[in-house]
Amino acid sequence: MADELNHLPLPPPESEPYVQPGYPGSKRRIPARDPRAHAEDLEGQLNMLEQRLAQIGSEPRPERSEGFLYAASFAKESDPRAESLADKKTDTALVDYNDEERRALVYTSRPKAGALRRKVSQYGDIENTTEKGEPRNLPLVAPLEGLAPATLLDLSDGWLREDALGESEWVEVWVRGGERDDSESRERRRLALQEFLDGHGLMPEATVAGDLQAFRATEHDIYLLKLSEAALRDLPTQLPEVFHLGPPQRTIVPQMLELQKTELQVPEVGDPPENASTVVLLDTGVSETHPLLKALFVGPGSSSIAGDPRPDDFAGHGTRMAGLVAYRDLAAHLQQGGPISPRCHLQNVRIHSGAENPGPEPMLERTRDAVLEAEQVTASRRIFNLPLGARTGKPGGSTPWSVAVDSLAFAGGGRLFCVAAGNEPVNKMPKPGDYFAANLSSGLTSPGEALNTITVGAITDLTTLGPGSTGRKPVAAAGQLNPFSRCDVGGSRAVKPDLVIEGGNLSADANDCRADETMQLLTTARGHATGPWLTTASMTSAATSKVSGMAAELWQANPTRRPETIRALLVHSARWTPAMHGQFPDRRDLLRAVGYGTPSLERATWSEYARPTVVFEGKLHPLRWLDVPGEKKRGREMHFHELPMPDEALEALGDDEIELSVTLAYFAQPNETRGVRYMSAGLRWEMQRPLEPPSEFRKRINKLEREEGEQFKSDAERIPWDLGRDARGRGTVQSDRARLSPTQLLGSRAIAVWPVQGWWHDRKIDGDPALRYSLIITIDAGEQQVDLYTPILNEISIRTEIRD
């Protein structure tokens, strides 16, 4: 049995000024051009562009519509400085940049491109070069190849083509505005859009709710609209403040088999633990009269579906998820007999109609409205369970829905979301043994890409087939990836999914795959009033619901912790199993498939004498400048933590290997505008290496600690991290582990946390914004009968007294 000791507090860090050292990297790719000839060609294109924009300005369009939009294309094999297309003096802004297509969209208030013309002219002046002898504005102008008014193809990234339009299309219309804009300008653009729709005879049928409703993102107002072919053709010229058109969200509700268990008697249900956490079910509704669920709700159910206030579950999915959230293992509880004990409270907010093949749905607005609706009811510590998803055309990037979820997670002091990684359709399941090749190429469903969430995939340990399965065998072996579970596309993205947990299995023969009841999870059924009160569930939606319930238990045991800390503790507790290593020997595939592994509620909740965990909760100001004492230097704020582990405790361990785990977690404010960085700001961490002097550690990570022009490289022995700084540092939760000898941790053991630039650096931000973060460190001595907890506790007490 675990010692069940409370985690220890990590003493506050020292704040120090920081400047990121320069790292060797690839040189910007610039096409070789004759500057004079290239400038002449571009000046001709500028003349044509300005003539065409002036013509557009003279044509009829909504009275409140302002400005002009043009596209700039760059050489494919180049790394252009596209942001230099912007110019504040002439109210010219880069509003979208597609790096894959090397295409930028530029908004200008007048039908002139004077700022760009000047830059092109300077580039072509071979008598006026830079100190290096290069043409001026080289990174912008040399890659530049084409200039033309924006088209439907430009606005939709090729999704919509004028030669292949239907009579009408549902589209997400991204209008300039959002949280960073003033209400007067946003209203003017809304009225321009209203006039445009009225002029094309599209209202009220163009909207889902009958009137114009937008999701307010960071720099866009996003509308879901049904536009006619004529309206789509006219839109780029008549509404130049529409900066992007995207495909709508079409959510998927997995269909599951009913389990006939009518011989069981409904057991007595106990109350949730005192002061239990609450899980909000954002789903198809819940059957709140179910005998295993009815006593768990903190308030009456509600709906965020416009025009349909019913909270009832007409599909069955939400009720299935409710049972998995409320009970750790319902089958085991029922087998034991007697009363059963739920682990949390529930709150039901319906966001999906439950239709198998729904039309386009405003999931951004529904998710936002559902969160705000849920928070009208008093409850302890909410976890938002979102086990629905929508397939995306190009997996691997953010989507409007994932941006919305990231925004909601960041806002309001932080919110904890658990979202599903998504499922492969059962009719695409291949034969056993090679199924995971399809999973690895699938990509996550939206909003699983959201960086501020716990994204959950599925594995399985269920491999026992029932009667009638002769000739069939499990698709996945014990401990392997669930056959449905979709994986991230990889590349330079953050580790996703974050966690994996039991999600059932499939069986297969030479002809097909199917979901057998014996390899699914037992849960609650919607049709309990007239039929079975139990059914089964599987896939990543089931796994997500189980993790949401686990988060509720963890938060109840640590009720004062922040949501980012609960997220960090779950990821910090996760481990890869031998089966995962065996299925994915390539580390990149392992991360794409199962993320950080399977969490342990015990490890996340408690420390042990041989496995102490220290936790820090604080905040860092990424835009704050600090002065270097005694010097005319300044740097961004950095935090410098000292691990409170006395050497005597480490020396007592001998030569047995120990495991060191470090996790950093925070929430960042997203920005949906391509061409600027997605996160408001980022954080990174690094630890002092074995026997590395503190001065060298500081030099290694902080340019301010080096002499002018000094190129420093540490000779200290590297820590054998599982991931390393580059792989772990891409997301808002960054976890890593290493196995070391105790002697490698002797001496100073510092961990630095510093900021990296995000879109807050690309925009004018008022005040001194902060990123809250949690830092968790564990030293695990395994099966050794030692006490590391007490020496750390004593060291913390000493340091606290000294500070006081």
Side-chain angles (χ1 to χ4, degrees):
M1 181 177 175
D3 299 318
E4 294 193 354
L5 304 169
N6 291 324
H7 297 322
L8 295 167
L10 182 64
E14 298 289 341
S15 291
E16 301 183 5
Y18 168 81
V19 171
Q20 180 175 334
Y23 293 101
S26 58
K27 191 175 180 180
R28 187 185 291 269
R29 294 176 296 175
I30 304 294
R33 307 277 198 190
D34 178 333
R36 181 173 290 171
H38 188 50
E40 288 179 356
D41 176 63
L42 291 175
E43 285 170 352
Q45 292 194 50
L46 281 165
N47 293 335
M48 294 291 293
L49 173 66
E50 290 180 344
Q51 291 175 18
R52 183 69 185 102
L53 293 180
Q55 180 183 348
I56 290 172
S58 66
E59 295 171 352
R61 61 177 178 177
E63 181 181 355
R64 295 177 177 84
S65 185
E66 295 182 0
F68 303 86
L69 197 63
Y70 69 87
S73 59
F74 297 92
K76 293 297 183 184
E77 299 298 324
S78 69
D79 300 307
R81 187 172 289 163
E83 62 270 19
S84 295
L85 288 166
D87 182 74
K88 292 182 179 179
K89 291 182 180 179
T90 59
D91 191 19
T92 301
L94 174 69
V95 299
D96 195 18
Y97 180 66
N98 186 323
D99 185 61
E100 184 178 328
E101 298 293 332
R102 300 291 195 275
R103 181 182 61 243
L105 285 179
V106 182
Y107 173 84
T108 176
S109 60
R110 299 177 297 171
K112 295 288 185 181
L116 179 56
R117 187 181 290 276
R118 285 193 298 273
K119 292 175 182 179
V120 169
S121 177
Q122 291 170 355
Y123 166 81
D125 185 355
I126 59 176
E127 303 298 327
N128 182 19
T129 59
T130 66
E131 293 180 358
K132 295 181 179 180
E134 296 177 338
R136 295 195 177 277
N137 307 310
L138 177 70
L140 167 66
V141 182
L144 188 58
E145 290 192 336
L147 297 164
T151 66
L152 191 61
L153 194 72
D154 298 323
L155 287 176
S156 67
D157 288 334
W159 172 59
L160 295 172
R161 303 180 62 93
E162 290 195 11
D163 59 353
L165 293 175
E167 289 187 8
S168 61
E169 298 279 357
W170 281 101
V171 294
E172 283 181 342
V173 180
W174 298 41
V175 182
R176 183 183 193 181
E179 294 178 354
R180 289 179 47 77
D181 210 345
D182 62 90
S183 58
E184 183 178 343
S185 297
R186 293 179 63 240
E187 178 62 11
R188 175 185 61 77
R189 298 185 194 106
R190 190 191 70 81
L191 292 173
L193 177 59
Q194 178 77 56
E195 184 181 346
F196 174 83
L197 295 172
D198 289 340
H200 285 81
L202 297 177
M203 289 296 288
E205 291 79 9
T207 68
V208 174
D211 60 348
L212 278 178
Q213 297 182 9
F215 177 82
R216 190 175 184 180
T218 303
E219 294 190 328
H220 294 90
D221 292 318
I222 304 175
Y223 297 85
L224 178 61
L225 300 173
K226 189 176 185 180
L227 300 183
S228 65
E229 178 183 359
L232 287 168
R233 292 181 186 276
D234 291 343
L235 189 145
T237 55
Q238 293 191 13
L239 290 176
E241 289 177 287
V242 171
F243 293 161
H244 182 68
L245 298 174
Q249 307 292 309
R250 296 177 184 269
T251 52
I252 308 157
V253 178
Q255 299 301 301
M256 304 180 186
L257 302 175
E258 292 291 334
L259 180 63
Q260 305 299 320
K261 293 285 185 180
T262 55
E263 70 275 10
L264 286 176
Q265 297 298 311
V266 177
E268 179 184 345
V269 177
D271 293 328
E274 185 178 355
N275 198 30
S277 305
T278 298
V279 176
V280 183
L281 296 150
L282 305 177
D283 211 310
T284 62
V286 179
S287 179
E288 296 183 22
T289 59
H290 194 287
L292 300 188
L293 303 175
K294 62 183 180 181
L296 309 186
F297 293 95
V298 296
S302 57
S303 170
S304 66
I305 301 175
D308 187 357
R310 298 171 298 173
D312 303 315
D313 184 7
F314 297 98
H317 189 263
T319 305
R320 288 184 172 101
M321 298 307 107
L324 294 170
V325 167
Y327 299 98
R328 280 196 187 182
D329 187 337
L330 188 55
H333 290 322
L334 294 174
Q335 287 173 355
Q336 291 172 1
I340 61 173
S341 300
R343 55 181 171 179
C344 61
H345 291 294
L346 301 176
Q347 193 172 359
N348 169 30
V349 186
R350 182 170 174 241
I351 68 171
H352 193 286
S353 64
E356 173 63 12
N357 295 300
E361 297 179 285
M363 299 309 296
L364 287 68
E365 296 93 322
R366 286 184 187 173
T367 305
R368 174 202 60 200
D369 294 346
V371 168
L372 299 179
E373 178 76 18
E375 291 176 342
Q376 299 303 306
V377 178
T378 301
S380 300
R381 301 173 304 280
R382 282 184 178 84
I383 297 98
F384 293 92
N385 183 59
L386 183 51
L388 306 175
R391 296 192 183 99
T392 60
K394 293 182 179 179
S398 61
T399 65
W401 199 1
S402 70
V403 172
V405 172
D406 271 338
S407 298
L408 291 165
F410 175 82
R415 298 183 177 102
L416 183 59
F417 279 83
C418 294
V419 302
N423 307 311
E424 280 285 274
V426 67
N427 59 2
K428 292 186 178 180
M429 291 293 123
K431 297 178 182 179
D434 62 353
Y435 72 91
F436 55 86
N439 300 73
L440 285 172
S441 63
S442 60
L444 305 176
T445 58
S446 177
E449 317 91 332
L451 294 183
N452 290 337
T453 67
I454 300 175
T455 300
V456 185
I459 56 166
T460 189
D461 283 312
L462 299 175
T463 57
T464 302
L465 291 167
S469 298
T470 304
R472 306 186 69 83
K473 61 180 181 179
V475 172
Q480 291 187 338
L481 186 71
N482 173 285
F484 288 107
S485 192
R486 296 170 73 101
C487 303
D488 189 66
V489 295
S492 60
R493 288 176 48 75
V495 174
K496 288 286 176 178
D498 299 277
L499 302 171
V500 290
I501 202 168
E502 180 64 66
N505 203 349
L506 290 172
S507 71
D509 57 19
N511 299 314
D512 67 357
C513 293
R514 73 184 186 197
D516 289 83
E517 293 177 353
T518 56
M519 295 192 296
Q520 310 299 295
L521 303 173
L522 191 67
T523 188
T524 46
R526 174 184 67 90
H528 60 91
T530 57
W533 50 278
L534 293 173
T535 185
T536 57
S538 63
M539 312 185 203
T540 61
S541 54
T544 303
S545 300
K546 287 174 65 67
V547 169
S548 295
M550 182 182 289
E553 288 191 77
L554 173 60
W555 214 346
Q556 183 200 346
N558 297 268
T560 62
R561 295 297 186 191
R562 298 171 175 175
E564 51 264 56
T565 305
I566 300 303
R567 179 187 181 213
L569 285 167
L570 283 172
V571 171
H572 190 76
S573 74
R575 295 294 182 271
W576 298 312
T577 65
M580 294 175 190
H581 280 290
Q583 189 174 22
F584 302 106
D586 184 287
R587 182 59 52 84
R588 292 168 297 182
D589 289 345
L590 183 70
L591 291 173
R592 292 167 55 203
V594 300
Y596 292 105
T598 300
S600 163
L601 183 58
E602 182 179 292
R603 282 197 300 266
T605 307
W606 308 109
S607 287
E608 298 181 20
Y609 285 112
R611 182 180 48 81
T613 293
V614 292
V615 178
F616 172 77
E617 294 180 316
K619 60 184 179 181
L620 187 147
H621 299 79
L623 302 184
R624 177 180 292 178
W625 289 95
L626 301 179
D627 295 322
V628 179
E631 298 186 44
K632 295 182 179 180
K633 295 181 181 179
R634 304 178 75 205
R636 302 289 187 184
E637 182 181 37
M638 176 183 75
H639 284 176
F640 209 77
H641 296 267
E642 287 280 355
L643 181 61
M645 169 63 77
D647 284 348
E648 298 79 12
L650 289 169
E651 289 170 343
L653 294 176
D655 297 327
D656 290 339
E657 190 176 73
I658 58 176
E659 182 182 75
L660 170 69
S661 303
V662 181
T663 300
L664 169 73
Y666 61 99
F667 294 149
Q669 185 180 14
N671 191 319
E672 69 286 349
T673 302
R674 293 184 307 183
V676 302
R677 288 163 280 209
Y678 179 73
M679 296 194 298
S680 52
L683 299 178
R684 300 289 186 272
W685 66 267
E686 184 59 274
M687 186 167 182
Q688 190 175 351
R689 294 173 179 171
L691 303 180
E692 183 178 34
S695 59
E696 289 194 6
F697 176 44
R698 283 176 159 84
K699 272 191 176 185
R700 178 161 61 86
I701 63 171
N702 192 352
K703 185 178 180 180
L704 289 177
E705 299 292 332
R706 303 179 186 181
E707 298 295 330
E708 188 70 30
E710 179 182 3
Q711 298 295 318
F712 179 79
K713 183 177 180 181
S714 175
D715 294 326
E717 176 187 3
R718 292 176 178 269
I719 296 176
W721 296 111
D722 283 346
L723 302 185
R725 188 165 76 178
D726 290 342
R728 71 177 178 240
R730 298 167 183 157
T732 59
V733 60
Q734 303 167 20
S735 188
D736 216 341
R737 297 183 292 272
R739 280 144 292 281
L740 303 162
S741 69
T743 57
Q744 289 177 294
L745 284 180
L746 293 175
S748 177
R749 292 162 300 279
I751 293 179
V753 177
W754 66 85
V756 294
Q757 293 186 358
W759 70 263
W760 280 353
H761 293 76
D762 300 325
R763 299 289 192 264
K764 182 179 179 181
I765 304 297
D766 295 328
D768 185 21
L771 289 182
R772 300 194 323 184
Y773 75 91
S774 303
L775 182 66
I776 302 171
I777 308 165
T778 296
I779 295 177
D780 188 350
E783 300 301 320
Q784 299 184 65
Q785 299 298 312
V786 295
D787 181 4
L788 300 177
Y789 185 92
T790 303
I792 292 179
L793 175 61
N794 293 337
E795 183 70 17
I796 290 171
S797 300
I798 293 171
R799 293 188 188 184
T800 303
E801 290 177 3
I802 293 174
R803 284 180 180 271
D804 293 343

